[in-house]
Amino acid sequence: MKVHSGRFKVVSSKPLPVELDEENLPALEQGAANLKAHIDIVHRFGVPVVVCINRFPSDTPAEIDLVGKIALEAGAEAVAVSESFPRGADGGKAPAEAVRAVCRATDNHFHPLYAPDASLQDKIEAIATQVYGAGEVRYEAGVRSRLKLYERWGFRRIPVCFAKTQFSLSESQGCSTGVYSAHHGCSARVGARFVRVLCGDIMTMPGLPAEPAAVKMDVAESGQITGASW
């Protein structure tokens, strides 16, 4: 959550900034935007929310208390602290008990965000606006025509699956409202029974980093493998 504040520079494959281990309540408060958004998203499906706070050794009591307070004020039905990191299975009992208690105390009102027979474009816009906070959905040339083609082929009732950056709720980084959800393309995955929607210029599965691990691997004449992470 501190990282979500945008105050710290985190680089892939590099050690985390040491400042993240220091108590920083303002950074937690600022970084709570994604937590609040996820609570709202789950509630939109008619499902209660239990927030599990994963406690690590550097987390202070004040930080744990603040996250719990933020979660409850955002509408979470319960908050529990997991200490599985230092205590193993015993440390995970509190979240499990919280989930059981909430399930017993609430009724199931789950509902999807769109009807199965809604158009593919309506399904896309329901997810973009209600889940990702898009104020408007724009399509690149040819996307709408392809969606209509899929419907003529008999795929109107299948769900849509968004392929987007893993870093945030928006198509870039950060948690914002009123963003534009840019759909760069779509494709029907008829075996899996969904339409994949590309949000932004991203690589889909199977994905590789800019420098795959295989580049650093080698096999000596003796058969010894070097450079492998395992």
Side-chain angles (χ1 to χ4, degrees):
M1 287 180 64
K2 292 177 188 175
V3 172
H4 290 169
S5 70
R7 299 186 178 201
F8 307 92
K9 184 177 181 180
V10 177
V11 181
S12 177
S13 303
K14 300 292 184 181
L16 292 173
V18 295
E19 294 82 8
L20 287 174
D21 288 335
E22 300 172 359
E23 182 176 282
N24 192 327
L25 301 184
L28 270 182
E29 188 98 42
Q30 186 175 352
N34 276 293
L35 171 61
K36 295 176 182 177
H38 280 294
I39 293 172
D40 176 67
I41 290 169
V42 176
H43 278 155
R44 287 176 183 269
F45 288 89
V47 178
V49 177
V50 176
V51 172
C52 175
I53 303 175
N54 197 16
R55 184 196 293 271
F56 282 84
S58 61
D59 296 335
T60 68
E63 289 177 327
I64 298 296
D65 290 344
L66 177 59
V67 174
K69 177 175 178 289
I70 291 172
L72 291 174
E73 289 179 349
E77 276 69 20
V79 173
V81 177
S82 170
E83 295 187 295
S84 295
F85 184 79
R87 296 176 53 209
D90 286 341
K93 289 181 179 179
E97 292 170 351
V99 169
R100 181 169 59 181
V102 169
C103 288
R104 287 175 172 173
T106 58
D107 295 327
N108 179 16
H109 298 291
F110 171 78
H111 56 82
L113 297 182
Y114 52 72
D117 58 352
S119 70
L120 293 175
Q121 185 171 328
D122 285 344
K123 292 176 180 179
I124 289 172
E125 293 175 5
I127 297 298
T129 56
Q130 297 188 58
V131 174
Y132 295 125
E136 180 181 342
V137 180
R138 68 174 184 264
Y139 301 85
E140 289 195 347
V143 173
R144 287 188 180 90
S145 297
R146 182 173 294 186
L147 292 172
K148 292 179 180 178
L149 179 62
Y150 294 156
E151 291 181 0
R152 290 201 299 271
W153 287 349
F155 302 128
R156 180 187 178 100
R157 290 181 61 86
I158 65 177
V160 296
C161 178
F162 279 45
K164 54 178 287 299
T165 173
Q166 74 276 25
F167 293 114
S168 71
L169 292 171
S170 64
E171 70 181 48
S172 57
Q173 293 194 36
C175 178
S176 57
T177 57
V179 298
Y180 292 87
S181 183
H183 299 288
H184 289 235
C186 62
S187 59
R189 293 295 184 254
V190 295
R193 302 292 296 174
F194 63 78
V195 170
R196 184 185 67 186
V197 181
L198 295 176
C199 303
D201 186 14
I202 64 171
M203 179 184 294
T204 56
M205 293 287 287
L208 293 172
E211 185 179 87
V215 173
K216 300 178 181 180
M217 296 174 61
D218 196 7
V219 182
E221 292 184 3
S222 62
Q224 182 179 3
I225 298 175
T226 57
S229 60
W230 37 267

